[in-house]
């Protein structure tokens, strides 16, 4: 019997950057995100009689760190379910892998959801969020639809995401793809380097905690402009913390900064748009759904070389075929 699950990437509005516990992936700060309706990952898990887990991504057998991360999630599910067998995992991405478009968030949310079903683990969404977190921190947020907040917590039990309701104007995220190349430094390595060497990291942690509280209040109030302003602040402060690392980590390219500038110009023309960027040069622009096509037209006119994809709030991870379908 094969269990198949789908999950979508999420983009953090209030960023996660830095861990307080590397092994359990407990973050230094909480974060808040929007799960998208584009670039899904579909993952199938089949219990097998073989002597080891086998993991394929887009048909290619994974080895090393990537397969170890999958095994970490499977081990946790074996531990929780009391079952000992191995699994065959096949995953298909529709997003350029490792280009700062949150492919690992969708991948590990789909994996946790499919594997829990395959191993017969009766897991609610909070447990799935905690399991997905073990593979990739941001994956704990992709278990949930729309807006979700990851409560940093202090241990495995207390570190999970939960859905927040959003009653403001329907949201869109215009993804501006300036590069689909694999990033030179993984976010995991870059995060660790920032924690260990950036003099700005402590300021990032204290300011992020305050920003997350403000953003949570703005989400509860449906206050789009405040959510947007805080989104841009969080992204720039996160990148500033990386600029301070030794050696520095710089994911933003000239094309990324040109997009940030174009968004400032859009705002001065009265369009509520706010830029954010993750561990890569691509820029995501938060705006109202009913203004998304206008935002794409304006960005295309200024930066025609980028490719633009309009995303809206998407679903949480869910079983497509399997016991829980
Ligand atoms: C985020 N990012 O909040 C932040 C913003 C990238 C920049 O979470 O080491 O793949 O597996 O926990 O979740 C990307 O890092 O890192 C990330 P690990 P993850 O979305």
């Amino acid at each position: 019997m094969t269990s198949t699950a789908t999950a979508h990437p999420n983009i953090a509005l209030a960023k996660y950057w830095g861990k307080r516990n590397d092994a359990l992936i407990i973050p230094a700060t909480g974060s808040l995100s929007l799960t998208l309706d584009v670039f899904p990952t579909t993952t199938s898990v089949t219990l097998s009689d073989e002597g080891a887990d086998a993991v394929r991504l887009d048909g290619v057998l994974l080895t090393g760190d990537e397969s170890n991360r999958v095994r970490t999630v499977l081990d946790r599910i074996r531990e929780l379910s009391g079952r000992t067998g191995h699994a065959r995992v096949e995953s298909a991405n529709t997003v350029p892998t490792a280009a700062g478009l949150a492919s690992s968030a969708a991948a590990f949310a789909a994996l946790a959801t499919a594997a829990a079903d395959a191993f017969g683990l009766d897991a609610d969404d909070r447990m799935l969020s905690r399991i997905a977190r073990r593979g990739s921190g941001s994956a704990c947020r992709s278990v949930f639809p729309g807006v979700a907040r990851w409560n940093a917590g202090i241990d495995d039990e207390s570190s999970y995401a939960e859905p927040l309701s959003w009653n403001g104007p329907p949201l869109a995220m215009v993804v501006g793809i300036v590069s689909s190349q694999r990033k030179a430094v993984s976010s995991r390595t870059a995060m660790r380097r920032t924690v260990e060497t950036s003099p700005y990291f402590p300021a990032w942690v204290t300011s992020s905690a305050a920003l997350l509280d403000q953003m949570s209040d703005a989400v509860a109030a449906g206050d789009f402009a405040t959510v947007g302003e805080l989104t841009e602040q969080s992204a720039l402060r996160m990148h500033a913390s990386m600029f301070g690392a030794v050696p520095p980590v710089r994911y933003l390219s000239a094309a990324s900064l040109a997009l940030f500038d174009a968004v400032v110009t859009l705002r001065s023309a009265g369009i509520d748009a706010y830029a954010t960027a993750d561990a890569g040069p691509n820029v995501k622009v938060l705006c109202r759904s009913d203004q998304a096509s206008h935002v794409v037209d304006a960005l295309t006119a200024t930066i025609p070389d980028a490719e633009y994809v309009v995303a809206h709030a998407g679903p949480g991870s869910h079983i497509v075929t399997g016991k829980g379908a």
Side-chain angles (χ1 to χ4, degrees):
M1 171 100 186
T2 296
S3 300
T4 300
T6 291
H8 290 73
N10 70 76
I11 300 300
L13 309 181
K15 303 295 187 193
Y16 146 55
W17 196 253
K19 301 177 181 66
R20 74 154 72 191
N21 180 321
D22 282 24
L24 294 176
I25 311 196
I26 311 297
T29 65
S31 54
L32 191 152
S33 61
L34 180 67
T35 298
L36 306 184
D37 63 349
V38 295
F39 305 137
T41 293
T42 300
T43 299
S44 296
V45 177
T46 310
L47 300 190
S48 83
D49 297 329
E50 288 152 37
D53 299 316
V55 186
R56 282 185 178 74
L57 173 61
D58 296 327
V60 178
L61 191 67
L62 297 186
T63 55
D65 180 52
E66 285 173 312
S67 80
N68 286 340
R69 286 170 69 172
V70 171
R71 195 163 311 112
T72 301
V73 170
L74 295 173
D75 283 345
R76 182 66 182 144
I77 288 176
R78 281 187 277 259
E79 197 179 342
L80 290 165
S81 67
R83 296 190 52 174
T84 52
H86 289 102
R88 256 197 338 267
V89 177
E90 310 220 5
S91 194
N93 267 340
T94 55
V95 51
T97 301
L101 288 169
S103 57
S104 72
F108 283 99
L111 172 69
T113 304
D117 191 76
F119 280 89
L121 176 66
D122 185 15
D124 62 12
D125 283 347
R126 181 169 297 182
M127 188 188 276
L128 287 180
S129 178
R130 289 167 46 220
I131 295 168
R133 193 198 77 238
R134 298 289 194 102
S136 191
S138 53
C140 76
R141 301 184 307 235
S142 274
V143 169
F144 297 101
V147 179
R149 183 181 57 205
W150 176 9
N151 301 305
I154 51 165
D155 55 16
D156 179 67
E157 188 74 22
S158 57
S159 190
Y160 54 82
E162 58 188 351
L164 298 184
S165 61
W166 169 253
N167 298 313
L171 301 173
M173 189 74 89
V174 175
V175 183
I177 303 172
V178 299
S179 166
S180 297
Q181 280 180 358
R182 227 183 148 78
K183 58 193 158 207
V185 186
S186 75
S187 50
R188 189 161 290 191
T189 300
M191 255 185 226
R192 192 174 306 132
R193 195 187 294 168
T194 307
V195 173
E196 290 173 357
T197 68
S198 176
Y200 305 147
F201 185 70
W204 159 252
V205 172
T206 44
S207 65
S208 291
L211 186 146
L212 181 64
D213 286 346
Q214 286 174 281
M215 193 181 280
S216 301
D217 289 347
V219 166
D223 178 351
F224 175 70
T226 302
V227 170
E229 281 161 19
L230 294 169
T231 294
E232 214 169 276
Q233 264 177 38
S234 177
L236 291 172
R237 286 177 181 174
M238 176 187 75
H239 286 281
S241 78
M242 298 180 211
F243 282 14
V246 184
V249 179
R250 189 170 61 81
Y251 287 120
L252 300 176
S253 66
S256 320
L257 295 179
L259 275 165
F260 271 76
D261 281 348
V263 168
V264 172
T265 304
L266 266 173
R267 276 207 298 278
S268 62
I271 300 293
D272 276 343
Y274 303 91
T276 186
D278 296 290
N282 298 313
V283 173
K284 297 94 182 184
V285 179
L286 181 68
C287 61
R288 297 166 190 260
S289 278
D290 59 6
Q291 295 185 329
S293 58
H294 181 83
V295 168
V296 171
D297 290 347
L299 295 178
T300 305
T302 318
I303 299 141
D305 295 346
E307 182 190 337
Y308 299 97
V309 176
V310 177
H312 301 94
S317 64
H318 55 276
I319 293 290
V320 181
T321 54
K323 302 183 194 86

